[in-house]
Amino acid sequence: MAACAFALKLLPLVVTGRFCSSRASYPARSAVRAFSRTVTRSQLHRVEGTGALTGKVDRFGGVTVNLADIGLPADISESSFSRLLQDSLARWKTEGKVAVWLQVPISLSRCVAAASTHGFTFHHAKHDHAVLALWLGEGESRLPGSATHQIGVAGAVVDESNGKVLVVQDRNKTKNAWKFPGGLSDPGENIGATAVREVFEETGVHAEFRSLLSIRQQHNHPGAFGMSDMYMICRLGPLTYDINFCTRECLRCEWLDLAELAKTDDTTPITSRVARLLLHGLEHGFNKIDLSMEELPAVYSGRFYQLYHRQLPPTLKS
Amino acid sequence: MAACAFALKLLPLVVTGRFCSSRASYPARSAVRAFSRTVTRSQLHRVEGTGALTGKVDRFGGVTVNLADIGLPADISESSFSRLLQDSLARWKTEGKVAVWLQVPISLSRCVAAASTHGFTFHHAKHDHAVLALWLGEGESRLPGSATHQIGVAGAVVDESNGKVLVVQDRNKTKNAWKFPGGLSDPGENIGATAVREVFEETGVHAEFRSLLSIRQQHNHPGAFGMSDMYMICRLGPLTYDINFCTRECLRCEWLDLAELAKTDDTTPITSRVARLLLHGLEHGFNKIDLSMEELPAVYSGRFYQLYHRQLPPTLKS
């Protein structure tokens, strides 16, 4: 019955749609969404007696099983888990599920090996658990991807009173080039907060976020496991001026003339370019170069996001 | 001897440096870098006979063991691997290694469970392997983080001849709001390429990248496993105009007056904001709102990166 309903839902897509080359994630399967529903706790209990794995069904027709929550014996063997999984997969396919997600605590990692024999692959992993996924739907997998980028942030603290900018020489690089202090964002950290934190940690100077200036995107970042890297350079305004730099990371730290930084060879190409951008801003107004930030409420989640773009005249913004 | 040399290298940091609150990644340990060296293949072979795990030593004093490469039996038990690992850890600690990385093929995931009993946690995982890490150095872990963000890209194709922009209504959302076509970047894909690809896949229109307009950063993105999201909105120029939209993803697709998009309620706040930005650009010149892109060679890797910022007057750029 369920398989029939599912097939009927797919019919309009077969007869009317042009062939879509889109590799959009599986939330784009409207037919599946119409079919699926969230399994209630009482329903979960009812199914458990069958000896198959149970999980939550999402609105896209996928099922998520959290191995930490379903009462598996801690010493379950790979072969026992494999049999459980095989039976469950057969059932889910009959029910027309399009995807299966397995959340596996690190201590149960032998179940990962068993799952891989059934076609599961890693979606992602962090700290103490891994998430595996298997596409059961038609055609090319439309599973959403996982995180691909790390975010690096640099903070250029500009003292407008004297045209100087705060720079450091990294202790650990072969060539001691002047750069803006910076580092990787912590998980969940906004880029402005990263800039302010890294500037303080490396130089001892307190500063506040003013604008975003430049973004660099690079792939297969060396030393980052082939990850991609988005490097965001921000303009900050100083709140204090005394330098107390971290000698573990920095060889030197100074307030340097922007004009000098823009001309010197003892810097990186990006730092040089941004120095010239800042010089232009210093001379003609930073509004010529800034991307200003505004925090706005997200429509559905109730959380906030940070939006960056060129500042519009006030009358046009709202 | 090795431990002594290592301790001596640390001494200058102890007597001169101020306390650094920096959580910078472990490449900042200059003392360790001086100590470590890359293990050659012949040295790898020589150590193998001891029955301990062998790996490559990096310039920061970490050791990486790839379990796929060291001739472990495919059916090695968790307890046997645990003993091997324990012996190896004891040796590495004596040698002053600061970090251990384990690359584990998915089929050997039982070794992951064993490693976790020794303090290893997941660093990341994708497809068919996982990487685990353990900090052995002093104080707070300075292991580099893993990818934290997915990148979403939207493409606003503006027809300057008539002030219209290409928009879609998403089939799968509850509220059918006008939006710019877009989607997630594929691994290794530049944002301009994502914009062009997604526009074509969703609408059938060929377009080319012109500029970056706006960035939105959001954390704990709903439906993205608590990942963070960087959403980059680009301006594109049309190369073709006929619409042939993907009915699986889109309910409607039209060239809409920018002025109408900027005023309507049937859109998202961000789309509305960008529409106003584009309108301003249409009236006063896109150079007022654009972040232009330049591809530049990376200094050390020989690869290229893409740099975005406000365009400088030509004389200032180089």
Side-chain angles (χ1 to χ4, degrees):
Chain A
M1 173 72 104
C4 217
F6 180 67
L8 282 170
K9 288 285 180 185
L10 275 180
L11 203 58
L13 292 179
V14 171
V15 299
T16 60
R18 70 168 177 86
F19 174 72
C20 300
S21 53
S22 170
R23 281 163 286 154
S25 65
Y26 82 136
R29 293 292 300 272
S30 58
V32 168
R33 184 178 62 150
F35 168 74
S36 67
R37 77 279 185 275
T38 306
V39 174
T40 64
R41 187 160 284 283
S42 59
Q43 286 167 318
L44 272 176
H45 286 308
R46 209 164 57 233
V47 179
E48 266 164 6
T50 64
L53 299 170
T54 56
K56 288 179 71 173
V57 179
D58 62 48
R59 63 190 183 99
F60 309 114
V63 57
T64 301
V65 181
N66 189 337
L67 298 198
D69 286 351
I70 56 171
L72 283 183
D75 60 351
I76 186 168
S77 70
E78 285 185 49
S79 48
S80 298
F81 179 75
S82 185
R83 278 192 298 274
L84 256 183
L85 185 55
Q86 185 159 3
D87 294 344
S88 307
L89 280 170
R91 180 166 52 90
W92 289 321
K93 281 174 186 164
T94 312
E95 292 172 354
K97 299 291 186 295
V98 294
V100 182
W101 302 90
L102 295 181
Q103 288 173 313
V104 188
I106 197 168
S107 57
L108 280 176
S109 288
R110 75 188 79 86
C111 298
V112 168
S116 74
T117 66
H118 295 280
F120 281 85
T121 55
F122 281 115
H123 184 264
H124 69 274
K126 53 183 180 179
H127 305 309
D128 61 356
H129 73 278
V131 174
L132 284 82
L134 178 65
W135 177 249
L136 294 180
E138 291 172 16
E140 203 179 327
S141 165
R142 279 198 294 281
L143 292 171
S146 54
T148 52
H149 282 62
Q150 66 183 15
I151 307 294
V153 185
V157 189
V158 181
D159 186 345
E160 294 177 56
S161 70
N162 57 15
K164 288 182 192 276
V165 69
L166 190 62
V167 285
V168 296
Q169 278 185 3
D170 191 341
R171 180 180 279 280
N172 300 303
K173 293 285 198 310
T174 327
K175 178 189 177 199
N176 289 327
W178 288 117
K179 295 175 4 179
F180 305 119
L184 294 180
S185 281
D186 288 335
E189 188 179 46
N190 288 321
I191 62 178
T194 307
V196 165
R197 175 178 61 73
E198 285 286 342
V199 163
F200 176 67
E201 287 179 356
E202 288 189 20
T203 74
V205 168
H206 290 276
E208 61 184 5
F209 176 84
R210 292 282 161 82
S211 71
L212 176 61
L213 294 176
S214 180
I215 299 114
R216 180 202 70 189
Q217 182 175 35
Q218 193 171 5
H219 303 290
N220 288 315
H221 196 75
F225 299 100
M227 247 194 299
S228 295
D229 179 86
M230 204 72 86
Y231 181 59
M232 328 277 289
I233 303 159
C234 303
R235 181 172 73 88
L236 309 186
L239 298 172
T240 65
Y241 298 85
D242 289 346
I243 291 171
N244 183 19
F245 72 92
C246 173
T247 53
R248 184 171 57 202
E249 292 190 52
C250 307
L251 204 61
R252 295 167 70 181
C253 176
E254 291 177 21
W255 290 99
L256 195 64
D257 274 333
L258 258 175
E260 194 178 324
L261 184 63
K263 283 192 320 232
T264 184
D265 287 335
D266 291 335
T267 188
T268 67
I270 287 185
T271 309
S272 189
R273 175 70 65 88
V274 172
R276 265 168 272 143
L277 200 65
L278 284 168
L279 213 49
H280 186 77
L282 202 61
E283 290 166 17
H284 303 278
F286 287 116
N287 64 323
K288 294 279 189 296
I289 62 167
D290 284 347
L291 291 177
S292 49
M293 187 282 285
E294 199 173 331
E295 197 161 83
L296 297 163
V299 179
Y300 300 113
S301 67
R303 296 189 186 92
F304 287 83
Y305 58 80
Q306 304 212 317
L307 187 69
Y308 300 84
H309 58 75
R310 294 284 297 135
Q311 194 148 32
L312 283 172
T315 47
L316 289 178
K317 200 153 75 161
S318 57
Chain B
M1 170 74 102
C4 217
F6 180 67
L8 283 171
K9 288 286 181 184
L10 275 180
L11 204 57
L13 291 178
V14 171
V15 299
T16 60
R18 70 170 177 87
F19 175 70
C20 299
S21 54
S22 170
R23 282 163 287 153
S25 66
Y26 83 134
R29 293 293 299 273
S30 60
V32 168
R33 184 178 64 147
F35 168 74
S36 67
R37 75 278 187 278
T38 305
V39 175
T40 64
R41 187 159 282 284
S42 59
Q43 285 166 318
L44 271 177
H45 285 307
R46 207 165 56 230
V47 180
E48 267 164 5
T50 64
L53 298 170
T54 57
K56 288 179 70 171
V57 179
D58 62 48
R59 62 189 182 99
F60 309 115
V63 58
T64 300
V65 182
N66 189 337
L67 299 197
D69 287 352
I70 58 171
L72 283 182
D75 59 351
I76 186 168
S77 70
E78 285 186 47
S79 47
S80 299
F81 180 75
S82 184
R83 278 192 299 275
L84 256 183
L85 186 55
Q86 186 160 3
D87 294 344
S88 308
L89 280 171
R91 178 166 54 91
W92 289 321
K93 281 172 185 163
T94 313
E95 291 172 356
K97 298 292 187 294
V98 294
V100 182
W101 302 90
L102 295 180
Q103 288 173 312
V104 188
I106 198 168
S107 56
L108 280 177
S109 287
R110 76 188 78 87
C111 298
V112 168
S116 74
T117 66
H118 295 281
F120 282 84
T121 55
F122 281 115
H123 184 264
H124 69 275
K126 53 183 182 180
H127 304 308
D128 60 357
H129 73 278
V131 174
L132 285 83
L134 178 65
W135 178 249
L136 294 181
E138 290 173 18
E140 202 181 327
S141 166
R142 280 198 294 282
L143 291 172
S146 54
T148 52
H149 283 62
Q150 66 182 14
I151 307 294
V153 184
V157 189
V158 180
D159 186 346
E160 294 177 55
S161 71
N162 57 16
K164 290 181 191 276
V165 68
L166 190 62
V167 285
V168 296
Q169 278 185 0
D170 191 339
R171 180 180 280 280
N172 300 303
K173 293 284 198 310
T174 327
K175 177 188 176 202
N176 289 326
W178 289 117
K179 296 174 8 182
F180 305 119
L184 295 180
S185 281
D186 288 335
E189 188 179 45
N190 288 320
I191 61 178
T194 307
V196 166
R197 175 178 60 73
E198 286 286 341
V199 162
F200 176 67
E201 286 178 357
E202 288 188 20
T203 74
V205 169
H206 290 277
E208 60 184 8
F209 176 85
R210 293 281 161 83
S211 72
L212 176 62
L213 295 176
S214 180
I215 299 113
R216 180 202 68 188
Q217 183 175 35
Q218 193 171 4
H219 303 290
N220 288 316
H221 196 73
F225 300 97
M227 246 193 303
S228 295
D229 179 86
M230 204 70 87
Y231 181 60
M232 328 278 289
I233 303 160
C234 303
R235 180 172 73 87
L236 308 186
L239 298 172
T240 65
Y241 297 85
D242 290 345
I243 290 171
N244 182 19
F245 71 92
C246 173
T247 52
R248 185 171 57 201
E249 293 190 51
C250 307
L251 203 62
R252 294 168 69 183
C253 175
E254 290 177 22
W255 290 99
L256 195 64
D257 274 335
L258 258 175
E260 194 178 324
L261 184 63
K263 282 191 323 230
T264 184
D265 287 336
D266 292 334
T267 188
T268 68
I270 288 185
T271 309
S272 189
R273 176 68 65 86
V274 172
R276 265 168 272 144
L277 200 66
L278 284 167
L279 212 49
H280 185 77
L282 202 61
E283 290 165 18
H284 303 278
F286 288 116
N287 64 325
K288 294 279 189 297
I289 63 167
D290 284 348
L291 290 176
S292 50
M293 187 281 285
E294 198 171 333
E295 196 160 83
L296 296 163
V299 179
Y300 299 112
S301 67
R303 295 189 188 92
F304 289 82
Y305 57 81
Q306 304 211 320
L307 187 69
Y308 300 84
H309 59 74
R310 294 284 299 135
Q311 194 148 31
L312 283 172
T315 47
L316 290 179
K317 200 152 71 161
S318 57

